[in-house]
Each structure stands twice: as structure tokens, then as C-alpha cells.
Amino acid sequence: MFLKIILPMTDNDIALLKECVKIAHEAMMEGNHPFGALLADKDGNILMRQKNDFKSGGSAYHAETLLVFRAAKTYPADFLKECTLYTNFEPCCMCTGAIYWANIGRLVFGATEKDLLRFTGANEENPTFSLSSREVLAHGQKDIVVEGPVEDEELLQFIVKDHIDFWKNR
């Protein structure tokens, strides 16, 4: 076992999280749940973007899982090991499992699954797990770096803004 030092999010990480919020907002404007994800290479270049697609496939069509499926078809596992998946909210256990199996090496998220539960409550469209991505990955055999949630309160408010009223109206 070795000690892993996690560095704070970079300015580029913050910029890419903000891009996820824009993607999520677009999803919401199209009638979907406000979740967005993107895949970036090791230099921070955006390779793919993905909105939640609840309208097409219901609760299983999470932005992260849809993105991972596309990425796994497009890029070899060795390449994905050097990539980062960014998302506005912490991925659920389904999405975290997809990240694990696709071999994506780093995950950066804005707000936690517990934060999301505050907004969704018992909404049947998003029956939130009380299981963090770190906990899911701790039971695997791969070394995947997880960074999040954001610590800056102003940024966190930007990330959760669309969720505050969205789930009240569902």
C-alpha cells in the first residue's frame, strides 16, 4: 500500500467543471435532467461532451454512462487511462462502475451524491444512492484518481443552481 497525494483542482479543472454545468443546463432546456459530463485528454483538451438523456431512455440514461459507452467504443483502454471524466455531480454507482470498466484514470466532480439527494428527495426519476464514487472504487482493483467536490462555495452554488428548482417541479 502506498500514500497517494491528491493535489487541489487546477484552474483548468474548474473551467471544465463549469463547461459541464453548461452542458447540464442545455440538457435541462431540452427537457432532460440537468446533468452534463465531458471527457478530456491528459492535456485538458475536450474529446467528448454528453448531456443526460432521460427523455430517450429514462433513469438509466445518465450523462456519465452514455459518455463512457461512447468513449470505450472510440478509444483504447490505455488511452482512456490517461483521460479525465468531468461531471457536475458525483457519478452514481452505475456511472462509477462504467468509468471503472472503461479504464478512465481520473474523475473530477463538482457536487456530491449527498448534495443531489437534498434536491431530488425521493423522486422516482432519480432514486439517488447513498454511496460515494470513492466507496465504489475502493472495492475495485484499479487505481482511479477521484477529485471532488469543489470547496469554493460560490462555485458550488453555480453547479447546483439548476437543480434547486428543477426537482421541486418534477
Side-chain angles (χ1 to χ4, degrees):
M1 189 127 199
F2 60 93
L3 178 63
K4 193 191 298 186
I5 298 172
I6 304 290
L7 300 173
M9 287 185 201
T10 66
D11 289 343
N12 193 52
D13 289 333
I14 301 301
L16 292 173
L17 280 174
K18 288 180 178 179
E19 184 63 27
C20 288
V21 174
K22 292 176 187 173
I23 296 166
H25 184 76
E26 290 171 13
M28 183 182 73
M29 297 309 290
E30 294 170 4
N32 289 298
H33 298 169
F35 298 100
L38 64 83
L39 182 71
D41 66 15
K42 65 181 178 181
D43 297 319
N45 299 305
I46 298 172
L47 303 172
M48 294 181 169
R49 292 172 168 80
Q50 181 65 54
K51 302 170 194 168
N52 174 279
D53 198 10
F54 180 81
K55 285 174 55 178
S56 294
S59 293
Y61 273 46
H62 293 193
E64 300 89 347
T65 295
L66 294 173
L67 177 70
V68 169
F69 288 166
R70 289 178 42 225
K73 285 182 181 180
T74 306
Y75 301 107
D78 288 345
F79 177 78
L80 290 174
K81 179 68 179 157
E82 301 296 319
C83 292
T84 301
L85 187 143
Y86 291 85
T87 182
N88 57 328
F89 273 84
E90 182 175 20
C92 71
C93 55
M94 173 183 73
C95 296
T96 301
I99 291 165
Y100 176 86
W101 288 109
N103 207 43
I104 295 171
R106 183 170 176 249
L107 165 65
V108 176
F109 65 87
T112 67
E113 185 85 343
K114 286 184 180 180
D115 291 330
L116 180 60
L117 184 58
R118 287 191 348 241
F119 302 115
T120 61
N123 190 300
E124 66 184 38
E125 289 183 10
N126 195 13
T128 305
F129 275 87
S130 182
L131 184 62
S132 75
S133 56
R134 282 184 178 86
E135 191 173 345
V136 172
L137 294 170
H139 294 279
Q141 299 177 22
K142 297 180 182 183
D143 188 24
I144 297 172
V145 175
V146 179
E147 298 187 44
V150 299
E151 295 180 6
D152 178 83
E153 188 61 34
E154 186 176 326
L155 179 57
L156 183 59
Q157 290 308 310
F158 176 73
I159 290 167
V160 303
K161 181 181 177 197
D162 282 340
H163 289 265
I164 292 170
D165 291 328
F166 181 83
W167 296 103
K168 290 178 187 175
N169 301 321
R170 299 305 281 186

